[in-house]
Amino acid sequence: GQQVMQIPQYQHVQEGEDFTTYCNSSTTLSNIQWYKQRPGGHPVFLIQLVKSGEVKKQKRLTFQFGEAKKNSSLHITATQTTDVGTYFCAGGSNSGYALNFGKGTSLLVTP
Amino acid sequence: KAGVTQTPRYLIKTRGQQVTLSCSPISGHRSVSWYQQTPGQGLQFLFEYFSETQRNKGNFPGRFSGRQFSNSRSEMNVSTLELGDSALYLCASSEITGPGGEQFFGPGTRLTVL
């Protein structure tokens, strides 16, 4: 079945440094979503990508969907302490109804 | 609109017992999905209900079951609890069924099995 792998598992950066998390699927995805979960909180939707090669930006966050629709990345420029949390990607498949979540990347930002 | 609500927020049970968790979706959302979250396994999909029908089921044993009512509220039941069932159970509602809908998560129910 479809699996979504996410790396790295953990990332510790100094405030102001950049951060990137990568998501890879064994099969072609119909779409990919990104979520952020703050410590003690629940996942909150950030964005959805559906087109091959799509790039979307939200302030300091840049999301990319690969040309083959098998990988995606989230890049944060100049991290802030408010970026702390776990970032999950979730891939959809044309052959299934469910979103498959990656295991997430936990980001720690120290001032 | 009010967000997704889940009750209870915390539960402590012993092995062998059964438990029922409840989820009320955002008004107008007909899709409710359930996920199990553990530190080692991340978010694992349990099942999705849409208009009272189970649309998809994850790779969990038959001890995990669910249902959805006509008002879109959903319940999840776990029978014969095992220690490994200790987890945060999240439900998420969406306007549409399938993987293309934005998932709105509730705060979760923290289940501890002793």
Side-chain angles (χ1 to χ4, degrees), chain A residues 9-10 30-31 33 35 37 40-45 48 88 91-94 96-103, chain B residues 9 35 37 39-45 48 55-56 88 90 97-108:
Chain A
Q9 189 176 359
Y10 302 99
S30 57
N31 61 298
Q33 298 180 354
Y35 292 80
Q37 185 174 22
H42 56 273
V44 175
F45 176 84
Q48 174 167 260
F88 293 95
S93 166
N94 288 323
Y97 282 101
L99 276 171
N100 286 291
F101 279 79
K103 292 189 177 182
Chain B
R9 293 293 310 279
Y35 297 87
Q37 186 172 31
Q41 296 300 318
L43 274 162
Q44 291 189 286
F45 173 77
E48 183 208 2
R55 299 304 299 273
N56 201 11
L88 180 66
L90 293 160
T97 184
E102 175 183 344
Q103 303 283 302
F104 292 83
F105 284 86

Short mmCIF file of all heavy atoms in Angstrom, two decimals, chain A residues 9-10 30-31 33 35 37 40-45 48 88 91-94 96-103, chain B residues 9 35 37 39-45 48 55-56 88 90 97-108:
data_model
loop_
_atom_site.label_atom_id
_atom_site.label_comp_id
_atom_site.label_asym_id
_atom_site.label_seq_id
_atom_site.Cartn_x
_atom_site.Cartn_y
_atom_site.Cartn_z
N GLN A 9 13.32 13.19 11.25
CA GLN A 9 12.36 12.96 12.32
C GLN A 9 12.37 14.13 13.30
O GLN A 9 11.33 14.52 13.82
CB GLN A 9 12.69 11.66 13.04
CG GLN A 9 11.63 11.21 14.03
CD GLN A 9 11.95 9.86 14.65
OE1 GLN A 9 12.97 9.24 14.34
NE2 GLN A 9 11.09 9.39 15.53
N TYR A 10 13.57 14.65 13.54
CA TYR A 10 13.74 15.79 14.45
C TYR A 10 14.69 16.80 13.82
O TYR A 10 15.57 16.43 13.04
CB TYR A 10 14.35 15.34 15.79
CG TYR A 10 13.56 14.30 16.53
CD1 TYR A 10 13.92 12.96 16.46
CD2 TYR A 10 12.46 14.65 17.30
CE1 TYR A 10 13.20 12.00 17.15
CE2 TYR A 10 11.73 13.70 17.98
CZ TYR A 10 12.11 12.36 17.90
OH TYR A 10 11.39 11.41 18.57
N SER A 30 -2.26 11.96 -5.52
CA SER A 30 -3.24 12.84 -6.15
C SER A 30 -3.11 14.25 -5.58
O SER A 30 -3.38 15.24 -6.27
CB SER A 30 -4.66 12.31 -5.89
OG SER A 30 -4.89 12.20 -4.49
N ASN A 31 -2.71 14.33 -4.34
CA ASN A 31 -2.57 15.61 -3.67
C ASN A 31 -1.72 15.42 -2.43
O ASN A 31 -1.51 14.29 -1.97
CB ASN A 31 -3.94 16.17 -3.26
CG ASN A 31 -4.67 15.26 -2.28
OD1 ASN A 31 -4.99 14.12 -2.57
ND2 ASN A 31 -4.89 15.78 -1.07
N GLN A 33 -1.12 17.32 1.51
CA GLN A 33 -1.47 18.36 2.46
C GLN A 33 -0.38 18.44 3.52
O GLN A 33 0.31 17.47 3.80
CB GLN A 33 -2.82 18.04 3.13
CG GLN A 33 -3.98 17.98 2.16
CD GLN A 33 -5.30 17.65 2.83
OE1 GLN A 33 -5.37 17.36 4.01
NE2 GLN A 33 -6.39 17.72 2.06
N TYR A 35 0.31 19.81 7.59
CA TYR A 35 -0.30 20.18 8.86
C TYR A 35 0.79 20.54 9.87
O TYR A 35 1.90 20.02 9.80
CB TYR A 35 -1.14 19.03 9.42
CG TYR A 35 -2.38 18.72 8.63
CD1 TYR A 35 -2.32 17.96 7.46
CD2 TYR A 35 -3.62 19.20 9.03
CE1 TYR A 35 -3.45 17.69 6.72
CE2 TYR A 35 -4.77 18.93 8.30
CZ TYR A 35 -4.67 18.18 7.15
OH TYR A 35 -5.80 17.92 6.42
N GLN A 37 1.36 20.74 14.12
CA GLN A 37 0.83 20.41 15.44
C GLN A 37 1.76 21.02 16.49
O GLN A 37 2.91 20.62 16.62
CB GLN A 37 0.73 18.90 15.62
CG GLN A 37 0.09 18.47 16.93
CD GLN A 37 -0.13 16.96 17.00
OE1 GLN A 37 0.53 16.19 16.30
NE2 GLN A 37 -1.04 16.51 17.84
N GLY A 40 1.26 19.68 22.59
CA GLY A 40 0.02 19.62 23.36
C GLY A 40 -1.23 19.95 22.57
O GLY A 40 -2.33 19.95 23.13
N GLY A 41 -1.07 20.24 21.30
CA GLY A 41 -2.22 20.63 20.49
C GLY A 41 -2.62 19.57 19.49
O GLY A 41 -2.17 18.43 19.56
N HIS A 42 -3.45 19.96 18.55
CA HIS A 42 -3.88 19.05 17.52
C HIS A 42 -3.40 19.56 16.16
O HIS A 42 -3.09 20.75 16.02
CB HIS A 42 -5.41 18.91 17.53
CG HIS A 42 -6.14 20.22 17.39
ND1 HIS A 42 -6.45 21.01 18.47
CD2 HIS A 42 -6.59 20.86 16.29
CE1 HIS A 42 -7.09 22.07 18.05
NE2 HIS A 42 -7.18 22.02 16.74
N PRO A 43 -3.35 18.68 15.16
CA PRO A 43 -2.88 19.13 13.84
C PRO A 43 -3.79 20.19 13.25
O PRO A 43 -5.01 20.10 13.35
CB PRO A 43 -2.92 17.84 13.01
CG PRO A 43 -2.84 16.73 14.00
CD PRO A 43 -3.59 17.23 15.20
N VAL A 44 -3.16 21.18 12.64
CA VAL A 44 -3.88 22.27 11.99
C VAL A 44 -3.43 22.34 10.53
O VAL A 44 -2.23 22.33 10.23
CB VAL A 44 -3.61 23.62 12.69
CG1 VAL A 44 -4.26 24.76 11.92
CG2 VAL A 44 -4.12 23.59 14.12
N PHE A 45 -4.40 22.39 9.64
CA PHE A 45 -4.14 22.41 8.21
C PHE A 45 -3.34 23.66 7.83
O PHE A 45 -3.66 24.78 8.25
CB PHE A 45 -5.48 22.39 7.47
CG PHE A 45 -5.39 22.51 5.98
CD1 PHE A 45 -5.15 21.39 5.20
CD2 PHE A 45 -5.57 23.73 5.36
CE1 PHE A 45 -5.09 21.49 3.81
CE2 PHE A 45 -5.50 23.85 3.97
CZ PHE A 45 -5.27 22.73 3.21
N GLN A 48 -2.68 22.76 0.82
CA GLN A 48 -2.82 21.59 -0.04
C GLN A 48 -2.21 21.89 -1.41
O GLN A 48 -2.40 22.99 -1.95
CB GLN A 48 -4.29 21.19 -0.21
CG GLN A 48 -4.49 20.07 -1.22
CD GLN A 48 -5.85 19.46 -1.17
OE1 GLN A 48 -6.05 18.40 -0.59
NE2 GLN A 48 -6.83 20.11 -1.81
N PHE A 88 3.54 17.71 9.67
CA PHE A 88 3.15 16.47 9.01
C PHE A 88 2.79 16.73 7.56
O PHE A 88 2.11 17.70 7.25
CB PHE A 88 1.91 15.86 9.68
CG PHE A 88 2.11 15.38 11.08
CD1 PHE A 88 1.80 16.19 12.16
CD2 PHE A 88 2.57 14.09 11.32
CE1 PHE A 88 1.96 15.74 13.46
CE2 PHE A 88 2.73 13.64 12.62
CZ PHE A 88 2.43 14.46 13.69
N GLY A 91 -0.46 12.42 2.24
CA GLY A 91 -0.66 12.22 0.82
C GLY A 91 -1.96 11.51 0.51
O GLY A 91 -2.38 10.61 1.25
N GLY A 92 -2.59 11.93 -0.56
CA GLY A 92 -3.79 11.29 -1.03
C GLY A 92 -3.51 10.47 -2.27
O GLY A 92 -2.56 10.74 -3.01
N SER A 93 -4.33 9.47 -2.50
CA SER A 93 -4.17 8.58 -3.64
C SER A 93 -5.44 8.54 -4.46
O SER A 93 -6.54 8.63 -3.90
CB SER A 93 -3.82 7.17 -3.15
OG SER A 93 -3.95 6.23 -4.19
N ASN A 94 -5.30 8.40 -5.76
CA ASN A 94 -6.48 8.29 -6.62
C ASN A 94 -7.22 6.98 -6.39
O ASN A 94 -8.38 6.83 -6.75
CB ASN A 94 -6.07 8.38 -8.09
CG ASN A 94 -5.66 9.79 -8.47
OD1 ASN A 94 -6.25 10.75 -8.00
ND2 ASN A 94 -4.64 9.91 -9.29
N GLY A 96 -7.60 5.49 -3.35
CA GLY A 96 -8.08 5.31 -1.98
C GLY A 96 -8.76 6.55 -1.45
O GLY A 96 -8.62 7.64 -1.99
N TYR A 97 -9.49 6.36 -0.39
CA TYR A 97 -10.22 7.48 0.19
C TYR A 97 -9.46 8.19 1.29
O TYR A 97 -9.82 9.25 1.72
CB TYR A 97 -11.55 6.98 0.77
CG TYR A 97 -12.60 6.73 -0.26
CD1 TYR A 97 -12.87 5.44 -0.70
CD2 TYR A 97 -13.32 7.78 -0.81
CE1 TYR A 97 -13.84 5.21 -1.65
CE2 TYR A 97 -14.29 7.55 -1.76
CZ TYR A 97 -14.54 6.26 -2.17
OH TYR A 97 -15.50 6.03 -3.11
N ALA A 98 -8.40 7.55 1.78
CA ALA A 98 -7.77 8.06 3.00
C ALA A 98 -6.52 8.88 2.69
O ALA A 98 -5.85 8.69 1.68
CB ALA A 98 -7.39 6.91 3.91
N LEU A 99 -6.25 9.81 3.59
CA LEU A 99 -4.97 10.51 3.60
C LEU A 99 -3.98 9.67 4.39
O LEU A 99 -4.30 9.18 5.47
CB LEU A 99 -5.11 11.86 4.29
CG LEU A 99 -5.60 13.05 3.50
CD1 LEU A 99 -5.87 14.21 4.44
CD2 LEU A 99 -4.60 13.45 2.42
N ASN A 100 -2.78 9.49 3.85
CA ASN A 100 -1.73 8.79 4.57
C ASN A 100 -0.74 9.80 5.11
O ASN A 100 -0.09 10.52 4.34
CB ASN A 100 -1.02 7.80 3.65
CG ASN A 100 -1.87 6.59 3.38
OD1 ASN A 100 -2.11 5.77 4.27
ND2 ASN A 100 -2.35 6.47 2.16
N PHE A 101 -0.64 9.83 6.43
CA PHE A 101 0.23 10.81 7.06
C PHE A 101 1.65 10.27 7.20
O PHE A 101 1.86 9.09 7.51
CB PHE A 101 -0.31 11.16 8.46
CG PHE A 101 -1.42 12.15 8.44
CD1 PHE A 101 -2.70 11.79 8.12
CD2 PHE A 101 -1.16 13.49 8.77
CE1 PHE A 101 -3.73 12.72 8.10
CE2 PHE A 101 -2.19 14.42 8.76
CZ PHE A 101 -3.47 14.04 8.43
N GLY A 102 2.62 11.15 7.00
CA GLY A 102 3.98 10.84 7.37
C GLY A 102 4.09 10.89 8.88
O GLY A 102 3.17 11.34 9.57
N LYS A 103 5.22 10.44 9.42
CA LYS A 103 5.38 10.40 10.88
C LYS A 103 5.73 11.76 11.46
O LYS A 103 5.79 11.91 12.68
CB LYS A 103 6.42 9.35 11.28
CG LYS A 103 5.94 7.93 11.01
CD LYS A 103 6.87 6.89 11.59
CE LYS A 103 6.29 5.50 11.34
NZ LYS A 103 7.13 4.44 11.93
N ARG B 9 -12.19 14.05 27.12
CA ARG B 9 -10.84 14.47 26.77
C ARG B 9 -9.79 13.50 27.30
O ARG B 9 -8.74 13.31 26.69
CB ARG B 9 -10.56 15.86 27.31
CG ARG B 9 -11.40 16.96 26.67
CD ARG B 9 -11.03 17.17 25.19
NE ARG B 9 -9.61 17.32 25.00
CZ ARG B 9 -8.94 18.43 25.19
NH1 ARG B 9 -9.58 19.53 25.59
NH2 ARG B 9 -7.63 18.49 24.99
N TYR B 35 -8.24 9.00 13.79
CA TYR B 35 -6.82 8.69 13.73
C TYR B 35 -6.32 8.32 15.13
O TYR B 35 -6.81 8.84 16.14
CB TYR B 35 -6.01 9.90 13.25
CG TYR B 35 -6.33 10.36 11.84
CD1 TYR B 35 -7.36 11.26 11.61
CD2 TYR B 35 -5.59 9.90 10.76
CE1 TYR B 35 -7.66 11.69 10.33
CE2 TYR B 35 -5.87 10.32 9.47
CZ TYR B 35 -6.91 11.22 9.27
OH TYR B 35 -7.20 11.64 7.99
N GLN B 37 -2.89 8.49 17.35
CA GLN B 37 -1.57 9.11 17.36
C GLN B 37 -0.76 8.60 18.53
O GLN B 37 -1.17 8.70 19.69
CB GLN B 37 -1.67 10.64 17.43
CG GLN B 37 -0.31 11.32 17.30
CD GLN B 37 -0.39 12.82 17.19
OE1 GLN B 37 -1.28 13.47 17.73
NE2 GLN B 37 0.55 13.41 16.46
N PRO B 39 3.57 8.28 19.91
CA PRO B 39 4.90 8.86 19.65
C PRO B 39 5.70 8.10 18.60
O PRO B 39 6.37 8.69 17.79
CB PRO B 39 5.57 8.81 21.02
CG PRO B 39 4.45 8.82 21.99
CD PRO B 39 3.35 8.05 21.34
N GLY B 40 5.58 6.80 18.58
CA GLY B 40 6.40 6.03 17.66
C GLY B 40 5.83 5.90 16.26
O GLY B 40 6.58 5.78 15.29
N GLN B 41 4.54 5.93 16.14
CA GLN B 41 3.88 5.64 14.85
C GLN B 41 3.25 6.85 14.18
O GLN B 41 2.72 6.75 13.09
CB GLN B 41 2.81 4.56 15.04
CG GLN B 41 3.37 3.21 15.47
CD GLN B 41 4.34 2.65 14.46
OE1 GLN B 41 4.13 2.71 13.25
NE2 GLN B 41 5.45 2.12 14.94
N GLY B 42 3.26 7.98 14.85
CA GLY B 42 2.66 9.15 14.23
C GLY B 42 1.15 9.04 14.16
O GLY B 42 0.51 8.44 15.01
N LEU B 43 0.59 9.60 13.10
CA LEU B 43 -0.86 9.60 12.89
C LEU B 43 -1.25 8.42 12.01
O LEU B 43 -0.87 8.36 10.85
CB LEU B 43 -1.30 10.88 12.21
CG LEU B 43 -1.59 12.09 13.07
CD1 LEU B 43 -1.57 13.34 12.22
CD2 LEU B 43 -2.93 11.94 13.75
N GLN B 44 -2.03 7.52 12.56
CA GLN B 44 -2.46 6.37 11.77
C GLN B 44 -3.97 6.41 11.57
O GLN B 44 -4.72 6.57 12.54
CB GLN B 44 -2.05 5.07 12.46
CG GLN B 44 -0.54 4.86 12.46
CD GLN B 44 -0.17 3.48 12.94
OE1 GLN B 44 -0.25 3.18 14.13
NE2 GLN B 44 0.24 2.62 12.03
N PHE B 45 -4.38 6.24 10.31
CA PHE B 45 -5.78 6.32 9.94
C PHE B 45 -6.54 5.09 10.42
O PHE B 45 -6.12 3.95 10.19
CB PHE B 45 -5.86 6.44 8.42
CG PHE B 45 -7.24 6.37 7.85
CD1 PHE B 45 -8.09 7.46 7.93
CD2 PHE B 45 -7.70 5.21 7.23
CE1 PHE B 45 -9.36 7.40 7.40
CE2 PHE B 45 -8.96 5.14 6.70
CZ PHE B 45 -9.80 6.23 6.78
N GLU B 48 -12.98 6.30 8.06
CA GLU B 48 -13.71 7.50 7.71
C GLU B 48 -15.17 7.16 7.50
O GLU B 48 -15.50 6.13 6.90
CB GLU B 48 -13.17 8.15 6.42
CG GLU B 48 -13.89 9.45 6.09
CD GLU B 48 -13.93 9.80 4.61
OE1 GLU B 48 -13.43 9.01 3.79
OE2 GLU B 48 -14.50 10.86 4.27
N ARG B 55 -16.44 4.75 4.63
CA ARG B 55 -15.89 4.87 3.29
C ARG B 55 -14.55 4.16 3.17
O ARG B 55 -14.18 3.71 2.09
CB ARG B 55 -15.72 6.34 2.91
CG ARG B 55 -17.00 7.14 2.89
CD ARG B 55 -18.04 6.54 1.97
NE ARG B 55 -17.62 6.47 0.59
CZ ARG B 55 -17.78 7.45 -0.29
NH1 ARG B 55 -18.34 8.57 0.09
NH2 ARG B 55 -17.39 7.30 -1.53
N ASN B 56 -13.82 4.12 4.25
CA ASN B 56 -12.50 3.51 4.18
C ASN B 56 -12.07 3.09 5.58
O ASN B 56 -12.54 3.68 6.57
CB ASN B 56 -11.48 4.49 3.60
CG ASN B 56 -10.26 3.77 3.03
OD1 ASN B 56 -10.24 2.56 2.89
ND2 ASN B 56 -9.25 4.53 2.70
N LEU B 88 -3.39 8.96 21.77
CA LEU B 88 -4.29 10.09 21.57
C LEU B 88 -5.15 9.76 20.36
O LEU B 88 -4.61 9.46 19.28
CB LEU B 88 -3.48 11.37 21.31
CG LEU B 88 -4.29 12.64 21.06
CD1 LEU B 88 -5.07 13.04 22.32
CD2 LEU B 88 -3.38 13.78 20.61
N LEU B 90 -7.68 11.08 17.69
CA LEU B 90 -8.11 12.32 17.07
C LEU B 90 -9.20 12.05 16.05
O LEU B 90 -9.12 11.09 15.29
CB LEU B 90 -6.93 12.98 16.35
CG LEU B 90 -5.80 13.51 17.23
CD1 LEU B 90 -4.52 13.67 16.41
CD2 LEU B 90 -6.18 14.84 17.86
N THR B 97 -15.74 14.00 1.28
CA THR B 97 -15.12 12.72 1.58
C THR B 97 -13.86 12.56 0.74
O THR B 97 -13.70 13.23 -0.27
CB THR B 97 -16.09 11.56 1.28
OG1 THR B 97 -15.47 10.32 1.67
CG2 THR B 97 -16.45 11.51 -0.19
N GLY B 98 -12.99 11.67 1.21
CA GLY B 98 -11.80 11.40 0.42
C GLY B 98 -10.61 12.22 0.83
O GLY B 98 -10.69 13.07 1.72
N PRO B 99 -9.47 12.01 0.17
CA PRO B 99 -8.22 12.63 0.59
C PRO B 99 -8.07 14.09 0.18
O PRO B 99 -7.11 14.74 0.59
CB PRO B 99 -7.17 11.78 -0.13
CG PRO B 99 -7.87 11.30 -1.36
CD PRO B 99 -9.30 11.07 -0.94
N GLY B 100 -9.00 14.65 -0.57
CA GLY B 100 -8.83 16.01 -1.03
C GLY B 100 -9.40 17.07 -0.12
O GLY B 100 -9.21 18.26 -0.36
N GLY B 101 -10.07 16.66 0.94
CA GLY B 101 -10.69 17.62 1.82
C GLY B 101 -9.79 18.05 2.96
O GLY B 101 -9.08 17.24 3.54
N GLU B 102 -9.83 19.32 3.28
CA GLU B 102 -9.09 19.82 4.43
C GLU B 102 -9.66 19.19 5.69
O GLU B 102 -10.87 19.19 5.90
CB GLU B 102 -9.21 21.34 4.50
CG GLU B 102 -8.56 21.96 5.72
CD GLU B 102 -8.76 23.47 5.78
OE1 GLU B 102 -9.13 24.06 4.75
OE2 GLU B 102 -8.55 24.04 6.87
N GLN B 103 -8.76 18.65 6.50
CA GLN B 103 -9.18 17.99 7.74
C GLN B 103 -9.13 19.00 8.90
O GLN B 103 -8.11 19.63 9.14
CB GLN B 103 -8.24 16.83 8.05
CG GLN B 103 -8.13 15.78 6.96
CD GLN B 103 -9.33 14.87 6.92
OE1 GLN B 103 -9.66 14.21 7.90
NE2 GLN B 103 -9.99 14.83 5.78
N PHE B 104 -10.23 19.12 9.60
CA PHE B 104 -10.30 19.96 10.79
C PHE B 104 -10.29 19.02 12.00
O PHE B 104 -11.24 18.27 12.22
CB PHE B 104 -11.57 20.81 10.80
CG PHE B 104 -11.59 21.86 9.72
CD1 PHE B 104 -11.98 21.55 8.42
CD2 PHE B 104 -11.22 23.17 10.01
CE1 PHE B 104 -12.00 22.50 7.43
CE2 PHE B 104 -11.25 24.15 9.01
CZ PHE B 104 -11.63 23.81 7.72
N PHE B 105 -9.22 19.06 12.76
CA PHE B 105 -9.05 18.13 13.87
C PHE B 105 -9.65 18.66 15.16
O PHE B 105 -9.65 19.87 15.43
CB PHE B 105 -7.56 17.85 14.11
CG PHE B 105 -6.95 16.92 13.10
CD1 PHE B 105 -6.46 17.39 11.90
CD2 PHE B 105 -6.87 15.55 13.35
CE1 PHE B 105 -5.90 16.53 10.96
CE2 PHE B 105 -6.31 14.68 12.43
CZ PHE B 105 -5.83 15.18 11.23
N GLY B 106 -10.14 17.72 15.95
CA GLY B 106 -10.57 18.03 17.30
C GLY B 106 -9.39 17.96 18.24
O GLY B 106 -8.27 17.62 17.84
N PRO B 107 -9.62 18.26 19.53
CA PRO B 107 -8.52 18.28 20.51
C PRO B 107 -8.03 16.90 20.90
O PRO B 107 -6.96 16.76 21.48
CB PRO B 107 -9.13 19.00 21.71
CG PRO B 107 -10.59 18.72 21.59
CD PRO B 107 -10.89 18.68 20.12
N GLY B 108 -8.82 15.87 20.57
CA GLY B 108 -8.40 14.50 20.87
C GLY B 108 -8.90 13.99 22.21
O GLY B 108 -9.27 14.75 23.10
#
